[in-house]
Amino acid sequence: MKIKRRRIVRSKVCQKKLLLFIFGILLLFVGCRKNPDSNLSKNNSVEEALSSFELEPGFKIELVVSEPLINDPVDMEIDENGIMYVVEMKGVPFDESGTGSIKALTDTDGDGVFDQSTVFADSLILPNGVMRWKKGLLVTDPPNVYYFEDTDGDNRADIRKIILSGFDSNDLESNVNNPLFGLDNWIYLANGLSSSDKIEYPDKPNAVQIDNSGNMVRFRPDYYDLEMMSTRTQYGFSFDSWGNRFMVSNANHIYQEMIAAQYLERNGDLLVTDAAEKISDHGSPAEVFPITKNPQNQLLTDVGVFTAACGITNYLGGAFPAGFNDNTSFTAEPAHNLVHVDNLNSTKGAAFSASRVGKNQEFLASTDSFFRPVNMYVGPDGALYVVDMYRKFIEGPEFMEDEVVKTANLYEGTEKGRIYRISAAEAAPATWMNTLDLGEATNKQLVGKLSDPNIWWRRNAQRLLLDRNAKDVVPELMRIASDSESAMGRLHALWTLEGLNELNLDLISNALIDKEPGIRENAIRLAEIHLDDFPALESELLKLQEDIDPKVRYQLISTLGFINTPEANKARQQLLFKDITDEWVQIAALTAPSFQSRSLLDAVLERYDPSIPAYDLLVQRLSGMVSAGQKPEAVRALLKKATSADENEVEWQASLLHGIAAGLKSRESIPTELKRDQGTLLFTFFEHPSISARKGALEILQIVGFSEKQSPQAIPRALEIAGNDSALPEQRALAVNFLSLQNVEPYSSFLGSLITPEQPMPVQLAAINTLSTIPDETVSEYVLQKWPSLTQELRDAALNTFLVQPFNLARVKILLDAIEKNQIQPSSLGWSRSVVLMRDIPDSLKVRSRQLLTQNEGERKDVIEEYQAALELEGDEGQGKKIFLNLCSICHTKGGGEGQGYGPNLATVRNWMPEKLISSILDPGLSIIVGYNLWRVELKNGDVKHGIISSETSDALTLSYPGGTKTVFSRNEIKTLAALNTSPMPTGFEQQITKQEMADLISYLKSQ
């Protein structure tokens, strides 16, 4: 479910009506061609939908339930008795009357397809998640988490109770969803939005309450436990077999929680802005490969990459073909009508890495634009169940063109919904629907299921044993925890014993030396819970310092932060230096109480190795902790060390200074004592041999303040350096930045004079950014004046000055005026700035912005319309390749194939709609890809060159020409530099290509 984060202040009712679809894909409608085989204009039957799929070889896909039994499904659960519960979110976009429901599905004839549907619970607003618990279900329907139970066996709930309340219910993009029972016996809730309400147990006013910071939540209703976690997700999250957690957001299809909240809470002085790590090795957003015919690509869709990632699910079913059973993660992408799969690699260190399976193709994709996979579930048969909401629109109407909202049926498809079963090609048909009876199993039989290769059986057996308080099988659980051949059996037995309050010292100690690293890792977590109960565990933990597995060592250093003994402190240091290059090991080590930070800093400085960048990062973190939390005299002492003239200390002084600056930013107030050190900081800024140290000194001056009266020669000296063409570009840029310590308006003309092609790029960048500190429109005037000569990196900085927040409406208006006058091309904005202009700026300018950025007439409208007829012709990919090689390869390549890299690699356009491809081919100026403008370079010797700037440094730039030749020019050679706001590709291509050949070329360009 795509959940673009936005916050709009309105009444609750109004906000619900405008934000709407929980998927929040933020797309705008663009016209789609009529085509005989278009899937856009109709709802496909189930048979047609099945024929639309392309699936990974070795698998098969089958339907298990569809309309009319279910509508608008978004989540599912299979209980121990074989009943499938489906969450129906029917109300989006506008219906707040309580149409949401939970359906109970059964298969009465045993054919593997559900044929009976009962409304288990109804009158829900926008329900979005379900989990089996006790004798009923937990259901998320913001702002509440409900418990429903059927007490008379008719598959209809007659108990309805609010378990938790206080979640955000105004912004329907990232609110509470997808409850899941964890290995550690806690119930976890996805969450990504904060609210002003307290999250609480409404039936227990005196129980713990937590502020809703917007992070995930875990709770244990039996004990009224409730905790906020360290990370957030959007729609969905997942665990691997060992309890590691993976989350998802719109454009980031997989990231991992790296450090838990209980560790971060130990040290308030540690500056950690994100407790998660992006683990995709193929980009974020990663490229996707849809096969949809006539896709519903809207204006703000980032086409061809993840833009609506949701429903992440680790496959732990044990029944897939080789290569898919261990550490495999699936993510749904409803905007592109597909399901993506990754393999998780655990050799990276503390974090995993995720690598896509298959090249240029997805695990599951559909030609049907109504196919909207939003969630997945591993069933008792080891199959992967895909929940398909099946709708035409999955966008918020607030982000469509008014014409579409007024004329389109936003509910088209709402009466439909499907759930598919994906299994190995040779797998037996599903038979569990009317034979599953885990609920009737004895406690001993449940214990046996803890070793099952399928997570469904392990998770439900553990849950049921705890529900039954199964003390009678404690001896058997202890036996399995100690010597079962199954690692999963040992793991789940340990946590089940923990849930039954029967775990003892011997069991934990034995698990700490288990042959399986994942068991040892979990044993450390269990030991952490029982440090007060079993003091002897400290010595057992310390024996793991030399463990061969990095993830075990990482968990150990995290847990040892709770033990304040000389032995534990020494062990943490040893673990830190052993894995110092792992950023998360550094963070885990520093979560120990902050009073140890200065002694650890001294130890790090003694070992400092300038050839290992990790030392710089560690020094910054430690000095940041000191300056964030310790007394002013301690900070001044550290500052003195960072600015001393001792040559032996120069190597790490820059890191100290940057760390001090970061720590000072986090303080509520800046100690006045630090203002006494202005002279020392100025000396460092102007004289230190390290550019990085000078930057650090400037950062501190920006925080503590600068008194020109105290140092009247500083500004003149900075002006002198900034204007000295003989000085190093980095020194000049720093001097320009120094000017912003005071009002720079008196120097605006001087700064403007630095934005010229012959000036080094760092100097020009600094001048633009410093001019932007003047609160009026001065910088905008200079940017427009200099725009033709600004290269791409400079243009990025210049465009950002128009969109500083809080928004300067005058600057935004100037930008829109420039776009309207064609001084700045819309294609120069890039996707993210276009989104800001059409989504985030004040409403007074938003309508105009959308009009400007959506008009796409061009000067060759008639030619383009004539060639749209090619869209009705069937293209031949093979012939298209010949046309590409003959007409296009002189400037372009496609992937790694034949051709030249003068123009954009045309593999990047495979996901464009055919209409856009034809328009761009016939009128290249319509959508010049960023970085491929044609430039005119006039040299001081009189020569004039035209080409694409393919690279630039502070002192030189490289011009590329058709055919692959390049020339490098020193900036000192350049007299003038101007972007021609035109594509290097000439117009008139229609004179070389027929409509059929255009159809062939489009077919080739869209091929994999």
Side-chain angles (χ1 to χ4, degrees):
M1 294 182 176
K2 182 164 188 185
I3 304 159
K4 289 285 188 185
R5 193 166 295 132
R6 60 188 186 272
R7 176 69 62 178
I8 303 170
V9 180
R10 297 188 178 101
S11 70
K12 290 187 176 182
V13 172
C14 182
Q15 193 152 347
K16 282 185 179 179
K17 286 184 176 178
L18 287 175
L19 293 177
L20 314 170
F21 285 117
I22 191 168
F23 312 108
I25 296 180
L26 311 181
L27 312 175
L28 289 175
F29 180 85
V30 292
C32 295
R33 63 185 172 98
K34 294 181 179 179
N35 191 299
D37 55 5
S38 169
N39 287 295
L40 184 62
S41 59
K42 62 176 180 173
N43 290 328
N44 279 351
S45 67
V46 171
E47 293 75 15
E48 290 172 318
L50 279 168
S51 67
S52 77
F53 291 128
E54 287 187 5
L55 180 63
E56 180 80 18
F59 292 87
K60 63 182 177 182
I61 184 167
E62 306 162 280
L63 181 77
V64 293
V65 64
S66 67
E67 69 277 356
L69 294 183
I70 60 171
N71 310 127
D72 300 292
V74 295
D75 196 16
M76 62 172 282
E77 172 76 295
I78 298 170
D79 79 355
E80 60 271 21
N81 303 310
I83 299 174
M84 177 187 283
Y85 296 95
V86 175
V87 181
E88 297 183 325
M89 193 167 63
K90 304 174 187 177
V92 289
F94 298 118
D95 190 350
E96 295 179 308
S97 63
T99 58
S101 61
I102 310 297
K103 289 281 185 66
L105 303 174
T106 52
D107 172 18
T108 62
D109 56 13
D111 65 352
V113 177
F114 290 97
D115 50 40
Q116 189 173 86
S117 174
T118 304
V119 177
F120 181 80
D122 58 12
S123 300
L124 299 170
I125 306 301
L126 289 167
N128 55 20
V130 61
M131 189 197 97
R132 179 68 165 164
W133 185 63
K134 299 296 186 183
K135 298 178 181 180
L137 300 175
L138 293 174
V139 174
T140 50
D141 185 20
N144 301 319
V145 177
Y146 289 96
Y147 174 67
F148 293 99
E149 183 181 326
D150 166 26
T151 62
D152 56 14
D154 64 353
N155 279 344
R156 297 179 185 272
D158 39 63
I159 292 178
R160 175 182 178 130
K161 176 184 177 182
I162 296 177
I163 298 291
L164 287 178
S165 63
F167 293 95
D168 182 274
S169 61
N170 297 328
D171 193 327
L172 305 177
E173 297 177 332
S174 306
N175 47 20
V176 61
N177 62 80
N178 279 262
L180 187 59
F181 185 74
L183 174 65
D184 57 3
N185 307 311
W186 288 75
I187 298 168
Y188 288 76
L189 297 169
N191 190 41
L193 288 173
S194 60
S195 75
S196 58
D197 296 330
K198 296 275 188 182
I199 300 175
E200 61 182 358
Y201 291 95
D203 67 336
K204 190 81 168 179
N206 296 327
V208 62
Q209 298 179 340
I210 57 176
D211 293 325
N212 185 7
S213 67
N215 287 350
M216 291 181 64
V217 171
R218 69 175 189 170
F219 69 114
R220 295 193 296 176
D222 289 336
Y223 302 96
Y224 289 99
D225 288 335
L226 179 63
E227 293 182 0
M228 185 67 67
M229 303 178 68
S230 62
T231 53
R232 60 183 57 193
T233 187
Q234 290 191 299
Y235 191 76
F237 68 100
S238 186
F239 293 104
D240 71 357
S241 296
W242 308 107
N244 298 297
R245 188 165 51 261
F246 303 90
M247 289 82 67
V248 67
S249 64
N250 299 342
N252 189 355
H253 72 284
I254 182 168
Y255 54 99
Q256 179 186 355
E257 180 180 290
M258 291 306 307
I259 189 146
Q262 69 262 30
Y263 305 134
L264 293 176
E265 290 167 358
R266 293 185 301 217
N267 186 352
D269 295 333
L270 177 61
L271 310 175
V272 178
T273 58
D274 193 347
E277 177 166 325
K278 297 178 181 179
I279 63 172
S280 167
D281 68 1
H282 46 294
S284 178
E287 188 175 12
V288 293
F289 300 93
I291 62 171
T292 319
K293 294 179 180 178
N294 298 318
Q296 278 277 17
N297 292 335
Q298 312 294 348
L299 184 63
L300 296 185
T301 304
D302 209 359
V303 177
V305 296
F306 270 105
T307 190
C310 61
I312 186 170
T313 302
N314 286 65
Y315 178 74
L316 308 175
F320 272 7
F324 288 87
N325 271 322
D326 299 320
N327 293 324
T328 304
S329 174
F330 293 85
T331 305
E333 170 45 83
H336 288 93
N337 320 105
L338 58 85
V339 174
H340 176 85
V341 62
D342 289 308
N343 278 333
L344 299 180
N345 188 317
S346 62
T347 61
K348 185 178 177 182
F352 287 79
S353 63
S355 303
R356 68 172 304 123
V357 177
K359 183 179 180 181
N360 296 347
Q361 63 183 24
E362 301 299 343
F363 178 79
L364 174 68
S366 175
T367 59
D368 183 358
S369 64
F370 279 68
F371 175 58
R372 303 296 192 180
V374 296
N375 225 329
M376 284 163 286
Y377 184 90
V378 178
D381 53 352
L384 182 71
Y385 290 80
V386 178
V387 180
D388 173 14
M389 194 178 186
Y390 204 79
R391 279 206 176 191
K392 178 176 182 177
F393 294 105
I394 199 168
E395 305 85 10
E398 188 178 31
F399 298 94
M400 295 179 178
E401 288 183 327
D402 291 340
E403 180 183 351
V404 178
V405 176
K406 292 175 182 176
T407 60
N409 177 11
L410 301 181
Y411 292 91
E412 188 168 348
T414 190
E415 75 285 356
K416 295 181 181 290
R418 292 94 190 259
I419 295 178
Y420 298 98
R421 175 182 184 256
I422 296 178
S423 59
E426 70 282 1
T431 59
W432 57 265
M433 283 82 163
N434 63 354
T435 60
L436 192 61
D437 59 356
L438 185 65
E440 303 301 319
T442 65
N443 288 345
K444 186 173 182 179
Q445 289 171 327
L446 289 176
V447 170
K449 291 299 182 182
L450 297 178
S451 302
D452 196 276
N454 184 346
I455 185 61
W456 186 92
W457 294 92
R458 300 197 305 269
R459 179 178 287 149
N460 281 286
Q462 180 174 330
R463 175 182 60 81
L464 288 169
L465 286 168
L466 297 185
D467 284 351
R468 297 176 182 182
N469 194 28
K471 299 286 188 176
D472 59 308
V473 291
V474 166
E476 179 66 6
L477 286 168
M478 289 182 172
R479 183 192 67 76
I480 291 176
S482 299
D483 57 21
S484 172
E485 292 184 1
S486 165
M488 290 296 99
R490 299 195 301 275
L491 177 70
H492 283 269
L494 285 166
W495 280 107
T496 303
L497 286 165
E498 169 61 24
L500 292 170
N501 297 313
E502 294 290 342
L503 201 60
N504 61 41
L505 174 61
D506 289 342
L507 287 169
I508 298 174
S509 299
N510 185 60
L512 287 170
I513 57 173
D514 194 281
K515 63 182 179 181
E516 174 60 54
I519 300 288
R520 299 197 299 275
E521 187 180 352
N522 275 271
I524 296 170
R525 295 171 187 162
L526 288 163
E528 180 182 306
I529 297 171
H530 293 282
L531 286 173
D532 292 337
D533 303 324
F534 310 126
L537 282 174
E538 178 182 347
S539 61
E540 298 296 316
L541 288 170
L542 293 176
K543 294 176 184 178
L544 291 174
Q545 294 177 60
E546 301 301 324
D547 196 284
I548 61 172
D549 189 89
K551 289 179 171 55
V552 174
R553 296 195 301 271
Y554 178 63
Q555 182 58 55
L556 179 63
I557 197 172
S558 299
T559 294
L560 287 178
F562 287 114
I563 304 174
N564 185 21
T565 64
E567 294 79 10
N569 294 343
K570 181 180 178 182
R572 280 201 311 276
Q573 282 200 25
Q574 290 178 345
L575 288 164
L576 169 62
F577 288 116
K578 182 179 182 66
D579 294 316
I580 194 170
T581 57
D582 191 320
E583 175 184 1
W584 294 105
V585 170
Q586 290 190 21
I587 291 174
L590 301 187
T591 59
S594 62
F595 59 80
Q596 303 171 18
S597 56
R598 183 56 199 261
S599 60
L600 180 57
L601 175 58
D602 292 338
V604 171
L605 293 179
E606 287 180 11
R607 294 181 179 227
Y608 182 85
D609 184 343
S611 67
I612 302 177
Y615 275 94
D616 288 317
L617 185 59
L618 185 55
V619 170
Q620 286 184 41
R621 287 197 169 109
L622 283 164
S623 56
M625 288 165 57
V626 172
S627 57
Q630 295 195 17
K631 295 180 179 179
E633 51 265 31
V635 181
R636 292 193 72 195
L638 194 61
L639 185 59
K640 181 178 180 181
K641 192 175 186 68
T643 56
S644 75
D646 190 333
E647 293 183 1
N648 296 321
E649 299 181 347
V650 166
E651 290 180 324
W652 41 255
Q653 283 182 330
S655 299
L656 273 181
L657 288 164
H658 289 298
I660 292 170
L664 290 175
K665 286 179 184 177
S666 69
R667 295 182 79 117
E668 291 184 3
S669 60
I670 303 301
T672 56
E673 294 91 332
L674 293 180
K675 296 185 181 295
R676 303 173 193 165
D677 297 305
Q678 176 171 299
T680 300
L681 289 167
L682 287 172
F683 182 83
T684 301
F685 175 78
F686 285 112
E687 304 295 343
H688 202 285
S690 164
I691 293 294
S692 183
R694 294 186 182 200
K695 289 180 180 178
L698 178 58
E699 288 176 12
I700 297 173
L701 283 167
Q702 289 169 335
I703 296 166
V704 302
F706 166 72
S707 170
E708 189 173 7
K709 182 178 180 180
Q710 184 178 334
S711 305
Q713 297 305 312
I715 294 293
R717 187 173 181 186
L719 285 167
E720 180 184 358
I721 296 172
N724 183 359
D725 291 341
S726 300
L728 292 174
E730 292 79 8
Q731 290 181 349
R732 295 180 62 198
L734 273 178
V736 172
N737 291 329
F738 184 89
L739 298 177
S740 64
L741 292 175
Q742 294 286 282
N743 176 20
V744 299
E745 190 171 357
Y747 319 114
S748 59
S749 296
F750 167 71
L751 293 169
S753 71
L754 298 178
I755 310 174
T756 54
E758 64 269 20
Q759 291 292 342
M761 185 170 61
V763 176
Q764 295 187 66
L765 280 172
I768 290 171
N769 292 328
T770 302
L771 276 170
S772 189
T773 64
I774 303 174
D776 61 16
E777 300 77 63
T778 299
V779 67
S780 304
E781 296 167 2
Y782 277 103
V783 162
L784 291 181
Q785 177 187 339
K786 307 287 186 176
W787 183 259
S789 68
L790 300 183
T791 56
Q792 189 55 52
E793 187 170 349
L794 295 170
R795 287 188 169 190
D796 282 339
L799 288 168
N800 289 338
T801 66
F802 290 104
L803 299 174
V804 292
Q805 296 196 33
F807 290 110
N808 181 319
L809 294 186
R811 290 191 188 183
V812 176
K813 184 178 181 299
I814 290 174
L815 174 60
L816 296 179
D817 290 343
I819 293 172
E820 187 171 25
K821 296 173 183 176
N822 205 31
Q823 291 176 275
I824 294 177
Q825 290 188 309
S827 59
S828 300
L829 296 171
W831 183 78
S832 59
R833 279 184 288 262
S834 296
V835 170
V836 170
L837 285 170
M838 288 186 286
R839 186 192 70 186
D840 298 335
I841 63 173
D843 291 342
S844 59
L845 292 174
K846 191 179 298 180
V847 172
R848 182 185 177 204
S849 176
R850 292 187 175 193
Q851 290 172 343
L852 285 172
L853 297 183
T854 56
Q855 65 185 17
N856 199 19
E857 295 295 327
E859 297 178 358
R860 295 170 53 77
K861 181 180 178 182
D862 293 341
V863 174
I864 292 171
E865 288 183 352
E866 178 185 349
Y867 267 76
Q868 296 295 315
L871 297 173
E872 305 294 338
L873 304 174
E874 184 175 351
D876 184 309
E877 181 182 329
Q879 290 299 317
K881 181 176 182 179
K882 294 179 182 178
I883 296 166
F884 171 84
L885 294 175
N886 184 41
L887 299 179
C888 311
S889 62
I890 188 173
C891 293
H892 299 279
T893 185
K894 183 174 182 284
E898 299 174 73
Q900 298 291 339
Y902 174 64
N905 184 336
L906 295 186
T908 62
V909 304
R910 67 164 66 91
N911 292 311
W912 287 17
M913 292 187 71
E915 295 91 341
K916 182 177 180 182
L917 280 172
I918 289 178
S919 298
S920 298
I921 291 169
L922 297 177
D923 192 353
L926 279 177
S927 56
I928 303 171
I929 294 178
V930 173
Y932 289 94
N933 243 318
L934 186 64
W935 289 83
R936 179 183 186 276
V937 181
E938 181 185 6
L939 304 177
K940 292 178 179 177
N941 65 7
D943 288 349
V944 175
K945 305 290 184 181
H946 293 86
I948 292 173
I949 297 177
S950 54
S951 65
E952 60 177 320
T953 67
S954 63
D955 298 316
L957 58 83
T958 301
L959 209 62
S960 296
Y961 313 105
T965 60
K966 298 181 179 181
T967 306
V968 178
F969 298 103
S970 166
R971 290 186 184 273
N972 290 330
E973 298 178 69
I974 299 172
K975 181 179 180 181
T976 63
L977 180 66
L980 301 181
N981 285 335
T982 186
S983 170
M985 180 176 172
T987 57
F989 194 70
E990 71 278 3
Q991 298 173 15
Q992 305 176 61
I993 189 169
T994 67
K995 295 180 180 64
Q996 180 60 59
E997 288 171 335
M998 177 68 80
D1000 297 339
L1001 179 60
I1002 295 296
S1003 178
Y1004 174 65
L1005 292 178
K1006 290 186 68 64
S1007 66
Q1008 303 296 336

